[in-house]
Structures are given as structure tokens and as C-alpha cells.
């Protein structure tokens, strides 16, 4: 599947923008702050129904306006998908597929597989476990609808259990029947999520290792390791053993909402010993592995968004990534860059159908 056309109105820095893309490589060139990333983000929004960067839709509206619209036509073989996304302040967002509005937006996730690499991904390494859990959830939800359903139900039960714990702390009497029901819900959905996350990391790691070796030239060893309290004991046992602690804290201290992924360079966390180039290589390899994983599961190539991918990488690592991008293995690729000469060099190396766009003054001009 690839994006043929993109139309945006009042989205971030763009008053109005319409572009037609190559099914293979699309290179966006412009200075920092020109709006390259915003175009990639609009593409991401159509796949995931949200911005890659802003959790609040109101933050994506162009200054002094109260709405935005993103519309695109995706093609796969003889099939076209017309995707319409709109948000207006004070109203619910609208997501339409071929003029049919979704009643549940979550049903759209997975229709357009997508992988994005961005400088903000550095938080996967330097940030808390929340960042790495969100990463797992975002990836698995794209190819496993049941996982997304389990995640929604787990979070709902977790909120209700935490509310029960707070109420119980304020009241002399509390109904344990409701608590037992919530515990059963947490265990049911939590164990399903745990199994899927564990399977995902186990299957992703060898693909990730292959890509990191290609990018680094085989200079370093890396590892992904899933960490969960459910590896220590059954979830229902953990809930019972920590009930007194949870009652004092007035929140649930054990469960898959405390999971993490350990990111190692050799035997040590990469955030502690990795250089900027090594950390960037780690993230690029992780996202390329994500692409392969989805392709293996669904035999569909995700759209690949590479935002400022070459920054902080030495010449050899840049060259190795260019060779990977040049492979016909990937489908449609979007690349943003500040360096026009590098863009032209990359396009001369890849020998695939391509388009280059120059971004400035809130406009995009095809080269």
C-alpha cells in the first residue's frame, strides 16, 4: 500500500497543501522548521488517527484557526482507499474510510501499516518505561486487533481498580465483591497482553540484530529484553500478595502497566554507554526490524517515514543506511533532510522511482 495523494487544510504550519507522491521514494528537503516533519506527521495521522508528536488534536491546528482536515488516497493493486481525518475544537474528531465514518476509531488501526523514525524516538532510550510500553502497544496494535481490544479493556479495569482503592481508603466499609471482579478482569486481559508482548520481542530481536549489524558494520552487539512482573509469578498471585501495599498507595502497583524493555549495547544499557551515533543506529535498526516484522506477519509493506534520519551518524553508517534503503525490499519511503546535496547523492544511489520536494515558506515545490 502506498500514498498517492495528500491534501491538508489548516494542519500545523500549512494553510493548504496538496501533493502527489511516488510509490517508491519521496525526499523532502528544507531548513529546520520549514515543515518537512509536519508533512510526515500528516501521513502518520491518516494511519494511526493521531499525531506522532502531539497527544492533543487541538495542538495540531494551524495558529488562529479552529479546525484541520487531512485527506489522502492510498493505493494497493487495483484498490484505492480514501481516508479523511478532521478535527474541530469542541467536537469529536471524524475519521472516514471511503466516505463511511467509523463509529469506533480503533477499528481503523491496522488498515494502513506505517513505521516512523524520528529524532523524538530518542525518548525510547532515555525515557521511562512508559515510552517503551507505548512503543510495543503501538506496533502490536497495528497487526493484532485482539491485542488492542485487550489493552483498552485492561486500562479500563485498571482505572476502576485504582478508583476502588482510593474509595476504600476513605471509607470504613468497602465491597470486596467488586474488587474481586476487577481483579479477574485485570488477570484475563493482562495475561493476554503479557503473552503477546513477550512473543513480539522474542520474534523482533533477531531481525533487529541483523539490521544493527548492517548499519554498524558489525562493530557492536545489541539486545532487546522484555521485562515484566508476570515473569516472576502468576498475575492473580501478584495482586493478592500486594493488596496491602496497594491499599496504602491507593493504586495498583503490579501488572503489565509496569512492563519495560531493556535496551542493551553489549552487557550494559545503551542509554548509559552509547554514543549519539550508536543510539541513533539502535533506533533506526529497531524501526527497520519493525517494518520487516509487520511484512512477515501480514505480507504487506508498511509506509516508511524517515525523519531527519542521517543526523548524528558518521559517514559509514549513513552509507550503510542508504544501501538498505536502496533495496527493493521496502515499499514507499518518505525521507526528510536539511542537506540538498546529500538528498541528490542518496537519490543517485538508490536507482528507484523517486520524487524530491523542496519545503520553504509553508509550501512544497516538486523538484
Amino acid at each position: 500500500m502506498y500514498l498517492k495523494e495528500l491534501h491538508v487544510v489548516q494542519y500545523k504550519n500549512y494553510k493548504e497543501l496538496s501533493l502527489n507522491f511516488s510509490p517508491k521514494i519521496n525526499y523532502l528537503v528544507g531548513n529546520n522548521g520549514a515543515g518537512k516533519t509536519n508533512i510526515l506527521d500528516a501521513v502518520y495521522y491518516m494511519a494511526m488517527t493521531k499525531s506522532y508528536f502531539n497527544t492533543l488534536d487541538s495542538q495540531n491546528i494551524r495558529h488562529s484557526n479552529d479546525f484541520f482536515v487531512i485527506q489522502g488516497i492510498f493505493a494497493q493493486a487495483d484498490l484505492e482507499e480514501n481516508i479523511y481525518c478532521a478535527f474541530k475544537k469542541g467536537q469529536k474528531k471524524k475519521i472516514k474510510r471511503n466516505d463511511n465514518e467509523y463509529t469506533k476509531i480503533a477499528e481503523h488501526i491496522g488498515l494502513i501499516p506505517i513505521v516512523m523514525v524520528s529524532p523524538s524516538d530518542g525518548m525510547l532510550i532515555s525515557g521511562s518505561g512508559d515510552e517503551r510500553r507505548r512503543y510495543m502497544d503501538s506496533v502490536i496494535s497495528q497487526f493484532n486487533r485482539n491485542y488492542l481490544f485487550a489493552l483498552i479493556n485492561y486500562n479500563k479495569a485498571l482505572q476502576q481498580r485504582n478508583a476502588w482503592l482510593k474509595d476504600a481508603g476513605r471509607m470504613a466499609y468497602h465491597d470486596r465483591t467488586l474488587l474481586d471482579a476487577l481483579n479477574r478482569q485485570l488477570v484475563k486481559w493482562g495475561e493476554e497482553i503479557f503473552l503477546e508482548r513477550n512473543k513480539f520481542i522474542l520474534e523482533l530481536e533477531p531481525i533487529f540484530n541483523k539490521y544493527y549489524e548492517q548499519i554498524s558494520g558489525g562493530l557492536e552487539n545489541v539486545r532487546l529484553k522484555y521485562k515484566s512482573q508476570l515473569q516472576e509469578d502468576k498475575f492473580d498471585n501478584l495482586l493478592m500478595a500486594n493488596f496491602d501495599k496497594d491499599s496504602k498507595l491507593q493504586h495498583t502497583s503490579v501488572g503489565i502497566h509496569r512492563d519495560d524493555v531493556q535496551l542493551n549495547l553489549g552487557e550494559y544499557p545503551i542509554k548509559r554507554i552509547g554514543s549519539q551515533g550508536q543510539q541513533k543506529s539502535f533506533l533506526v535498526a529497531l524501526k527497520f526490524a519493525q517494518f520487516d516484522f509487520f511484512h512477515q506477519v501480514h505480507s504487506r509493506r508498511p509506509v516508511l517515514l524517515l525523519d531527519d534520519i542521517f543526523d548524528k551518524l558518521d559517514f559509514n553508517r549513513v552509507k550503510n543506511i542508504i544501501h538498505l534503503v536502496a533495496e527493493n525490499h521496502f515499499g514507499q519511503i518518505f525521507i526528510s533532510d536539511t542537506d540538498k546535496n546529500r538528498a541528490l547523492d542518496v537519490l543517485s544511489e538508490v536507482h528507484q522511482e523517486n520524487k524530491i520536494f523542496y519545503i520553504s515558506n509553508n509550501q512544497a515545490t516538486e523538484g
Side-chain angles (χ1 to χ4, degrees):
M1 183 173 287
Y2 69 93
L3 178 62
K4 290 177 63 176
E5 301 175 21
L6 171 69
H7 308 279
V8 301
V9 177
Q10 310 295 2
Y11 189 72
K12 296 195 170 181
N13 68 309
Y14 291 104
K15 180 179 181 180
E16 191 170 351
L17 182 71
S18 294
L19 296 171
N20 295 314
F21 296 118
S22 163
K24 295 302 294 182
I25 295 179
N26 299 276
Y27 217 118
L28 311 180
V29 181
N31 294 329
N32 290 325
K36 306 182 300 297
T37 300
N38 294 342
I39 295 175
L40 301 188
D41 195 39
V43 178
Y44 183 87
Y45 197 107
M46 288 186 291
M48 299 300 292
T49 72
K50 62 181 180 180
S51 165
Y52 194 76
F53 306 98
N54 299 324
T55 56
L56 297 177
D57 282 310
S58 59
Q59 296 176 342
N60 300 313
I61 299 174
R62 188 169 177 265
H63 184 62
S64 299
N65 288 275
D66 64 353
F67 77 98
F68 70 76
V69 174
I70 306 171
Q71 189 167 10
I73 298 176
F74 290 83
Q76 185 175 24
D78 296 329
L79 178 68
E80 287 192 348
E81 300 280 3
N82 191 325
I83 306 302
Y84 173 92
C85 308
F87 174 76
K88 186 173 183 178
K89 289 181 180 178
Q91 299 181 14
K92 278 187 168 183
K93 76 172 76 177
K94 292 185 178 181
I95 309 295
K96 296 181 182 181
R97 175 186 178 187
N98 300 324
D99 295 325
N100 297 313
E101 186 173 353
Y102 288 98
T103 54
K104 294 182 179 179
I105 292 177
E107 294 174 354
H108 179 72
I109 306 303
L111 175 68
I112 303 163
I114 199 159
V115 175
M116 185 161 185
V117 185
S118 164
S120 67
D121 292 331
M123 290 300 294
L124 282 174
I125 292 175
S126 62
S128 68
D130 291 342
E131 300 289 341
R132 293 176 285 278
R133 283 193 300 277
R134 276 194 289 269
Y135 170 72
M136 287 191 290
D137 293 341
S138 174
V139 177
I140 300 172
S141 294
Q142 285 197 65
F143 64 82
N144 188 332
R145 186 67 55 82
N146 291 333
Y147 179 89
L148 180 57
F149 181 74
L151 193 64
I152 291 170
N153 282 286
Y154 180 89
N155 287 331
K156 182 179 179 181
L158 179 64
Q159 289 177 346
Q160 292 175 331
R161 188 178 193 269
N162 288 341
W164 187 97
L165 290 167
K166 288 181 181 178
D167 287 343
R170 295 193 298 264
M171 300 165 59
Y173 169 79
H174 42 273
D175 181 9
R176 289 292 296 264
T177 304
L178 175 59
L179 177 66
D180 292 340
L182 293 173
N183 285 350
R184 286 194 295 272
Q185 288 293 301
L186 282 179
V187 170
K188 175 184 177 181
W189 302 117
E191 288 182 344
E192 183 176 333
I193 292 166
F194 165 73
L195 291 174
E196 289 300 325
R197 285 177 177 174
N198 189 59
K199 179 184 177 184
F200 169 64
I201 295 299
L202 285 175
E203 294 180 357
L204 185 71
E205 187 182 31
I207 310 171
F208 162 71
N209 286 333
K210 177 195 74 173
Y211 275 116
Y212 191 90
E213 182 178 4
Q214 290 177 286
I215 293 171
S216 68
L219 298 178
E220 303 119 12
N221 294 317
V222 288
R223 189 178 180 197
L224 306 175
K225 187 176 181 181
Y226 177 46
K227 305 289 287 184
S228 177
Q229 294 165 323
L230 273 66
Q231 292 163 332
E232 303 165 8
D233 201 350
K234 290 184 177 181
F235 195 4
D236 51 356
N237 292 341
L238 291 170
L239 288 171
M240 286 189 291
N242 288 273
F243 176 71
D244 290 341
K245 176 182 177 182
D246 290 353
S247 297
K248 292 177 182 177
L249 295 174
Q250 296 187 5
H251 69 257
T252 307
S253 62
V254 292
I256 57 93
H257 58 286
R258 306 294 296 272
D259 286 357
D260 203 347
V261 181
Q262 193 171 311
L263 312 178
N264 278 6
L265 179 64
E267 299 298 320
Y268 303 97
I270 190 168
K271 70 177 179 181
R272 199 169 74 203
I273 66 168
S275 67
Q276 287 185 325
Q278 287 170 324
Q279 293 188 16
K280 186 69 173 280
S281 300
F282 195 102
L283 293 169
V284 173
L286 182 64
K287 295 303 185 76
F288 280 12
Q290 177 186 332
F291 176 99
D292 271 20
F293 183 85
F294 195 99
H295 188 207
Q296 289 177 15
V297 171
H298 275 300
S299 301
R300 293 163 60 197
R301 292 184 174 92
V303 176
L304 187 58
L305 310 176
L306 307 178
D307 185 25
D308 201 18
I309 190 174
F310 301 119
D311 184 45
K312 296 182 174 63
L313 294 176
D314 60 45
F315 173 78
N316 286 330
R317 292 179 192 242
V318 169
K319 182 178 68 175
N320 291 338
I321 290 176
I322 291 172
H323 288 162
L324 286 171
V325 170
E327 295 178 3
N328 202 38
H329 167 71
F330 294 104
Q332 188 179 37
I333 303 174
F334 291 81
I335 306 172
S336 73
D337 203 341
T338 57
D339 190 329
K340 177 182 176 180
N341 292 328
R342 180 167 55 202
L344 296 174
D345 289 343
V346 169
L347 293 178
S348 68
E349 288 279 341
V350 297
H351 305 300
Q352 292 189 41
E353 181 182 338
N354 63 75
K355 286 187 176 184
I356 187 168
F357 301 88
Y358 296 102
I359 316 299
S360 64
N361 299 320
N362 303 326
Q363 297 292 327
T365 304
E366 186 176 336

